[in-house]
Amino acid sequence: MKVIVDQNKCVASGQCVLATPEVFDQREEDGIVVLLTENPPEHLADDVRQAAVLCPAQAIWMEEQEKNE
Amino acid sequence: MKRIVIVGASAAGLTAAETLRRRGYGADLTLIGADPRPPYDRPPLSKQILTGSWPAERIALRSPQELARLEADLRLGRSATALDVAGRRVRLSDGESIGFDGLLIATGVAPRRLPDSDLAGVHVLRTLDDALALRAALLAGSRVVVVGGGFLGTEVAAAARTMGLQVTVVEPEPVPVRRPFGDRIGALVADLHRHHGTRLRCGVPVHRLRDTGGRVTGVELSDGTTLPADVIVLAVGSAPATGWLTGSGLSLSNGVVCDALCQAAPGIYAAGDVASWHNPRFGTRMRLEHRMNATEQAMAASGNLLGDAVPFAPVPYFWTDQYDTRIQAYGIFPPGAEPRIVHGDPSNGHFVAAYGHDGVVAGVLGWNSPRETRTLRRLVVERTSWTAFTTAPTLSPATVN
Ligand SMILES: Cc1cc2nc3c(=O)[nH]c(=O)nc-3n(C[C@H](O)[C@H](O)[C@H](O)COP(=O)(O)OP(=O)(O)OC[C@H]3O[C@@H](n4cnc5c(N)ncnc54)[C@H](O)[C@@H]3O)c2cc1C
Ligand code: SF4
């Protein structure tokens, strides 16, 4: 799973941080999203998906990578 | 369930369709939307789309591929005109009638207008077409009067002012955004606008619009003064889009009346701006016109349509952007709720206020303080005692971050 954020679309709502603090943070000065890791571990996939769905600015995407095995 | 119909193909309707599919609903899904355009996001309409800083394509909610992946029968440019609750059918504007086992109502709201306001130069703002028409008018005009100093009106005023127009906001209350957030925040929003050169005429209702040969020329206020204008924007609130449900037997009162599960009748649910439901967290009925709620309520309602039976009990979230200022709010702000600054200082443009109601913190409002506001949301979640709170000093930076 690869996570992509668009800082220009982000409205600093912090919903992603509430959903998955392991993956998202907000900039100190204006609260715009900061991605802590582009490739979070699989066990966080559901939480990241929840963040992407809830984001009120539609600023988060996930690229699910095909598993090799 | 063999056939689910969703009426309204915007934020809430689209989220409902996606939730149903994600939750494994594999049978027929029909999504009916009056707007001929594929689903798009509304908050940027009064911000980046008006000022022209974003092209219209930027606000599409999904790509054509993503919409196709829903495997839904998507009927855009078609509206529902009637609902037969007992017969389980929805009638469409083109005469067709579609049967359902489950129905989700997500028709949102429509802007209110003033009497005799059907004149050239008078605008409302709800759809992308509205926004593009208003932008063209702002580019061509020089003086705009915004009728209504709520969130929409103040955002439009800020956008028009940023574009260099001479802008006046007319509001019958003594300050803008008073109903949602009270006098103190209203006064700060008024200062913000004055600081940017936007004029405010508060405390004076509009008497009528003036026109010459069907084109608007200005606004006459009840004190007799007339504000000349090339463009008038009506931002006087909106009404739930429930006309098509009249006579259906569903209870309609400031929206589709639902229970705590967002259910209006067996197998019939509502979500988003159109839905009035009982929020058990606050023990009160509410109807929210907030972007986040459209998503959250659509997820909850469609889950309940599939049998979750989980009451929808969110902490409401709302934001507004005006000039360089972002105001964010969690919770509820009933009339009479008492605000107290708990972080920062209004005089330096960054602060968070908590609002006490019925002995607990019911809402927090942040002004250019996104991280702190998100952190202090927990005062609402935990129903922090207001009395314990008002005797304590301002929160320490450590509590806030
Ligand atoms: C200009 C503007 C700025 C905003 N800014 C903010 C903001 O900064 N922050 C915030 O929190 N919220 C904001 N909002 C509010 C937010 O956009 C709404 O809460 C959200 O769009 C609600 O989604 P919805 O799907 O419930 O309703 P809507 O988005 O209104 O969608 C309802 C859909 O139903 C369709 N429809 C209506 N009647 C019928 C019918 N009979 N048959 C078929 N289809 C029908 C309509 O065409 C529409 O597409 C803003 C709204 C506007 C208009
Ligand atoms: S949820 Fe979306 S808008 Fe909110 S901070 Fe995260 S990326 Fe930004």
Side-chain angles (χ1 to χ4, degrees):
Chain A
M1 167 182 61
K2 183 174 181 216
V3 185
I4 302 164
V5 297
D6 182 342
Q7 291 185 322
N8 293 318
K9 271 193 150 181
C10 170
V11 295
S13 71
Q15 295 300 326
C16 52
V17 188
L18 292 170
T20 329
E22 299 87 344
V23 177
F24 303 99
D25 196 1
Q26 290 177 276
R27 289 202 298 236
E28 195 65 50
E29 65 278 20
D30 57 7
I32 296 302
V33 64
V34 178
L35 198 53
L36 299 176
T37 162
E38 270 197 349
N39 300 102
E42 267 318 302
H43 74 272
L44 293 175
D46 281 346
D47 290 347
V48 174
R49 202 166 295 122
Q50 179 80 359
V53 170
L54 282 181
C55 171
Q58 308 283 306
I60 303 172
W61 292 266
M62 291 172 75
E63 278 176 9
E64 316 258 356
Q65 274 140 13
E66 298 289 317
K67 290 215 185 72
N68 289 328
E69 51 284 278
Chain B
M1 210 162 303
K2 290 208 199 69
R3 178 163 224 174
I4 295 179
V5 171
I6 300 172
V7 184
S10 183
L14 179 65
T15 303
E18 290 181 337
T19 306
L20 291 168
R21 288 303 191 217
R22 200 166 49 240
R23 295 277 310 264
Y25 172 76
D28 285 356
L29 183 59
T30 305
L31 189 52
I32 301 159
D35 198 318
R37 294 179 185 268
Y40 54 85
D41 209 16
R42 288 184 211 280
L45 295 180
S46 49
K47 307 173 182 79
Q48 295 89 342
I49 297 295
L50 267 197
T51 60
S53 61
W54 287 7
E57 303 81 76
R58 187 104 199 247
I59 63 169
L61 282 175
R62 297 294 178 267
S63 66
Q65 296 84 334
E66 286 166 323
L67 288 177
R69 243 177 275 145
L70 268 180
E71 301 197 341
D73 178 6
L74 186 57
R75 317 251 186 128
L76 298 178
R78 225 77 54 88
S79 38
T81 52
L83 168 66
D84 176 355
V85 172
R88 309 311 257 181
R89 300 195 80 79
V90 173
R91 178 172 291 280
L92 304 193
S93 45
D94 57 11
E96 196 184 342
S97 132
I98 302 181
F100 63 82
D101 307 309
L103 176 71
L104 198 122
I105 298 168
T107 44
V109 296
R112 290 185 201 280
R113 299 189 66 103
L114 295 180
D116 304 319
S117 62
D118 206 0
L119 302 168
V122 176
H123 294 256
V124 294
L125 177 52
R126 184 73 194 172
T127 66
L128 177 53
D129 285 342
D130 291 342
L132 296 174
L134 177 55
R135 173 165 168 75
L138 293 176
L139 286 172
S142 63
R143 296 162 307 177
V144 53
V145 171
V146 179
V147 180
F151 290 111
L152 182 63
T154 49
E155 283 194 6
V156 169
R161 188 67 200 129
T162 306
M163 293 170 72
L165 280 87
Q166 181 188 314
V167 184
T168 309
V169 177
V170 183
E171 163 60 46
E173 297 277 340
V175 290
V177 301
R178 179 171 187 236
R179 228 167 317 139
F181 294 140
D183 289 309
R184 190 159 175 196
I185 298 300
L188 290 171
V189 170
D191 286 346
L192 174 70
H193 280 268
R194 285 197 198 97
H195 174 77
H196 282 89
T198 296
R199 296 174 196 179
L200 296 172
R201 285 301 307 272
C202 292
V204 206
V206 165
H207 176 52
R208 61 178 176 136
L209 303 183
R210 290 182 152 262
D211 74 293
T212 313
R215 164 156 283 279
V216 81
T217 55
V219 176
E220 186 181 323
L221 303 182
S222 59
D223 64 3
T225 52
T226 294
L227 304 170
D230 319 302
V231 182
I232 307 278
V233 183
L234 301 178
V236 291
S238 31
T242 54
W244 66 285
L245 297 168
T246 310
S248 66
L250 292 188
S251 170
L252 306 175
S253 168
N254 183 27
V256 178
V257 177
C258 301
D259 63 13
L261 301 179
C262 308
Q263 184 171 242
I268 301 179
Y269 291 76
D273 287 10
V274 77
S276 158
W277 92 107
H278 181 84
N279 183 336
R281 179 190 294 271
F282 297 96
T284 180
R285 176 162 289 283
M286 49 181 78
R287 184 177 67 78
L288 301 174
E289 295 183 15
H290 300 174
R291 179 65 182 84
M292 256 289 287
N293 185 65
T295 305
E296 286 188 299
Q297 192 166 23
M299 290 169 75
S302 39
N304 286 335
L305 180 55
L306 297 178
D308 286 355
V310 178
F312 180 53
V315 172
Y317 170 73
F318 171 81
W319 85 97
T320 174
D321 298 337
Q322 325 211 335
Y323 312 103
D324 45 4
T325 293
R326 171 162 285 150
I327 303 170
Q328 298 170 301
Y330 285 104
I332 60 171
F333 302 82
E338 184 193 342
R340 178 168 187 256
I341 308 291
V342 293
H343 168 79
D345 183 351
S347 66
N348 72 18
H350 297 270
F351 70 92
V352 182
Y355 284 65
H357 182 70
D358 283 349
V360 297
V361 177
V364 294
L365 176 143
W367 184 291
N368 283 331
S369 301
R371 283 176 63 103
E372 295 80 359
T373 312
R374 189 241 307 150
T375 310
L376 290 171
R377 170 185 184 270
R378 88 183 131 68
L379 300 175
V380 181
V381 175
E382 292 164 5
R383 300 173 58 81
T384 307
S385 155
W386 183 247
T387 24
F389 205 70
T390 40
T391 52
T394 305
L395 298 174
S396 67
T399 339
V400 174
N401 264 297

Coordinates of all heavy atoms in Angstrom, one line a residue, chain A residues 5-7 9-17 24-26 31-34 51-52 54-60, chain B residues 292 317 319 328, ligand 2:
Chain A
V5 N -0.7 12.1 -0.5 CA -1.5 13.3 0.0 C -1.3 14.5 -0.9 O -0.2 14.6 -1.6 CB -1.2 13.7 1.4 CG1 -1.5 12.5 2.4 CG2 0.2 14.1 1.6
D6 N -2.3 15.3 -1.0 CA -2.2 16.6 -1.8 C -2.3 17.7 -0.8 O -3.4 18.1 -0.4 CB -3.3 16.6 -2.8 CG -3.3 17.9 -3.7 OD1 -2.6 18.8 -3.3 OD2 -3.9 17.9 -4.8
Q7 N -1.1 18.3 -0.5 CA -1.1 19.4 0.5 C -1.9 20.6 0.0 O -2.3 21.5 0.8 CB 0.3 19.7 0.8 CG 1.0 18.6 1.6 CD 2.4 19.0 2.1 OE1 3.1 19.6 1.4 NE2 2.7 18.5 3.3
K9 N -4.7 20.6 -1.6 CA -6.1 20.4 -1.4 C -6.5 20.4 0.1 O -7.6 20.7 0.4 CB -6.6 19.1 -2.1 CG -7.0 19.2 -3.5 CD -7.6 17.9 -3.9 CE -8.7 18.2 -5.0 NZ -9.4 16.9 -5.4
C10 N -5.6 19.9 0.9 CA -5.8 19.7 2.3 C -6.4 21.0 3.0 O -5.9 22.1 2.7 CB -4.5 19.3 3.0 SG -4.6 19.3 4.8
V11 N -7.4 20.8 3.8 CA -8.0 22.0 4.5 C -7.7 21.9 6.0 O -8.3 22.6 6.8 CB -9.5 22.1 4.3 CG1 -9.8 22.4 2.8 CG2 -10.2 20.8 4.8
A12 N -6.7 21.1 6.4 CA -6.2 21.1 7.8 C -7.2 20.6 8.8 O -7.2 21.1 9.9 CB -5.6 22.5 8.2
S13 N -8.1 19.7 8.4 CA -9.1 19.3 9.4 C -8.6 18.4 10.4 O -9.2 18.2 11.5 CB -10.2 18.6 8.6 OG -9.8 17.3 8.2
G14 N -7.5 17.7 10.1 CA -6.9 16.8 11.1 C -7.7 15.4 11.3 O -7.4 14.6 12.1
Q15 N -8.6 15.2 10.4 CA -9.4 13.9 10.5 C -8.5 12.7 10.3 O -8.6 11.7 10.8 CB -10.5 13.9 9.4 CG -11.6 14.9 9.6 CD -12.3 14.8 11.0 OE1 -12.5 13.7 11.4 NE2 -12.7 15.9 11.6
C16 N -7.5 12.9 9.4 CA -6.5 11.8 9.1 C -5.7 11.5 10.3 O -5.4 10.3 10.6 CB -5.6 12.1 7.9 SG -4.8 13.8 8.1
V17 N -5.3 12.5 11.1 CA -4.5 12.3 12.3 C -5.4 11.6 13.4 O -4.9 10.7 14.1 CB -4.0 13.6 12.8 CG1 -3.0 13.4 14.0 CG2 -3.3 14.4 11.7
F24 N -0.2 9.9 9.7 CA -0.4 11.4 9.3 C -0.1 12.3 10.5 O -0.3 11.9 11.7 CB -1.9 11.6 8.9 CG -2.3 10.8 7.8 CD1 -3.1 9.6 8.0 CD2 -2.0 11.1 6.5 CE1 -3.5 8.8 7.0 CE2 -2.5 10.3 5.4 CZ -3.2 9.2 5.7
D25 N 0.4 13.5 10.2 CA 0.6 14.5 11.2 C 0.2 15.8 10.5 O -0.2 15.8 9.3 CB 2.0 14.6 11.7 CG 2.1 15.4 13.0 OD1 1.1 15.9 13.5 OD2 3.2 15.5 13.5
Q26 N 0.1 16.9 11.3 CA -0.2 18.2 10.7 C 1.0 19.2 11.0 O 1.6 19.2 12.0 CB -1.5 18.8 11.4 CG -2.7 18.0 11.0 CD -3.9 18.6 11.8 OE1 -4.2 18.2 12.9 NE2 -4.6 19.5 11.1
G31 N -1.3 23.5 10.1 CA -2.1 22.3 10.2 C -2.3 21.5 8.9 O -3.0 20.6 8.9
I32 N -1.5 21.9 7.9 CA -1.6 21.1 6.6 C -1.0 19.7 6.9 O 0.0 19.5 7.6 CB -0.9 21.9 5.5 CG1 -1.7 23.2 5.2 CG2 -0.8 21.0 4.2 CD1 -3.1 23.0 4.8
V33 N -1.6 18.7 6.2 CA -1.2 17.3 6.4 C 0.3 17.1 6.1 O 0.9 17.7 5.2 CB -2.1 16.4 5.5 CG1 -1.9 16.6 4.1 CG2 -1.8 14.9 5.9
V34 N 0.9 16.2 6.9 CA 2.3 15.8 6.7 C 2.2 14.2 6.7 O 1.6 13.7 7.6 CB 3.2 16.2 7.8 CG1 4.6 15.7 7.5 CG2 3.2 17.7 7.8
A51 N -9.2 7.1 6.8 CA -8.8 8.5 6.7 C -9.1 9.0 5.3 O -9.5 10.1 5.1 CB -7.3 8.6 7.0
A52 N -8.8 8.2 4.3 CA -9.0 8.7 2.9 C -10.4 8.9 2.6 O -10.8 9.9 1.9 CB -8.4 7.6 1.9
L54 N -12.8 9.7 4.9 CA -13.3 10.8 5.8 C -12.8 12.1 5.4 O -13.4 13.1 5.6 CB -13.0 10.5 7.2 CG -13.9 9.5 7.9 CD1 -13.4 9.4 9.4 CD2 -15.3 9.9 7.9
C55 N -11.6 12.2 4.8 CA -10.9 13.5 4.5 C -11.9 14.4 3.8 O -12.4 14.1 2.7 CB -9.7 13.3 3.6 SG -9.0 14.9 3.1
P56 N -12.3 15.5 4.4 CA -13.3 16.4 3.9 C -12.8 17.1 2.6 O -13.6 17.8 1.9 CB -13.7 17.3 5.0 CG -12.5 17.4 5.9 CD -11.8 16.0 5.7
A57 N -11.5 17.1 2.3 CA -11.0 17.7 1.1 C -10.6 16.8 0.0 O -10.1 17.2 -1.0 CB -9.8 18.6 1.5
Q58 N -10.8 15.5 0.3 CA -10.5 14.4 -0.7 C -9.0 14.6 -1.1 O -8.7 14.5 -2.3 CB -11.4 14.6 -1.9 CG -12.9 14.6 -1.6 CD -13.4 13.2 -1.3 OE1 -13.3 12.3 -2.0 NE2 -14.0 13.1 -0.1
A59 N -8.2 14.7 -0.1 CA -6.7 15.0 -0.3 C -5.9 13.8 -0.1 O -4.6 13.9 -0.1 CB -6.3 16.2 0.6
I60 N -6.5 12.6 0.2 CA -5.7 11.4 0.5 C -6.1 10.3 -0.5 O -7.3 10.1 -0.7 CB -5.9 10.9 1.9 CG1 -5.6 12.0 2.9 CG2 -5.1 9.6 2.2 CD1 -6.0 11.7 4.3
Chain B
M292 N -18.2 17.3 6.2 CA -17.8 16.1 6.9 C -19.0 15.2 7.2 O -18.9 14.0 7.1 CB -17.1 16.4 8.2 CG -15.6 16.3 8.2 SD -15.0 14.6 8.1 CE -15.4 14.0 9.8
Y317 N -18.3 18.4 12.7 CA -17.1 19.2 12.3 C -17.4 20.1 11.2 O -18.0 19.7 10.2 CB -15.9 18.3 11.9 CG -14.7 19.1 11.3 CD1 -13.9 19.8 12.2 CD2 -14.5 19.1 10.0 CE1 -12.9 20.6 11.6 CE2 -13.5 19.8 9.4 CZ -12.7 20.6 10.3 OH -11.7 21.4 9.8
W319 N -15.7 23.7 8.9 CA -14.7 24.8 8.7 C -15.1 25.8 7.7 O -16.0 25.6 6.9 CB -13.4 24.1 8.3 CG -13.2 24.0 6.8 CD1 -12.6 24.8 5.9 CD2 -13.7 22.9 6.0 NE1 -12.7 24.3 4.7 CE2 -13.4 23.2 4.7 CE3 -14.5 21.7 6.3 CZ2 -13.8 22.3 3.6 CZ3 -14.8 20.9 5.3 CH2 -14.5 21.2 3.9
Q328 N -12.4 26.7 12.4 CA -12.8 25.3 12.5 C -13.6 25.1 13.8 O -13.3 25.7 14.8 CB -11.6 24.4 12.5 CG -10.7 24.5 11.3 CD -9.4 23.9 11.4 OE1 -8.6 24.2 12.3 NE2 -9.1 22.9 10.5
Ligands
SF4_2 S1 -8.1 14.7 6.7 FE1 -7.7 15.6 4.7 S2 -8.0 17.8 5.0 FE2 -7.9 16.9 7.0 S3 -5.7 17.3 7.6 FE3 -5.9 15.2 6.7 S4 -5.4 15.5 4.5 FE4 -5.9 17.5 5.4

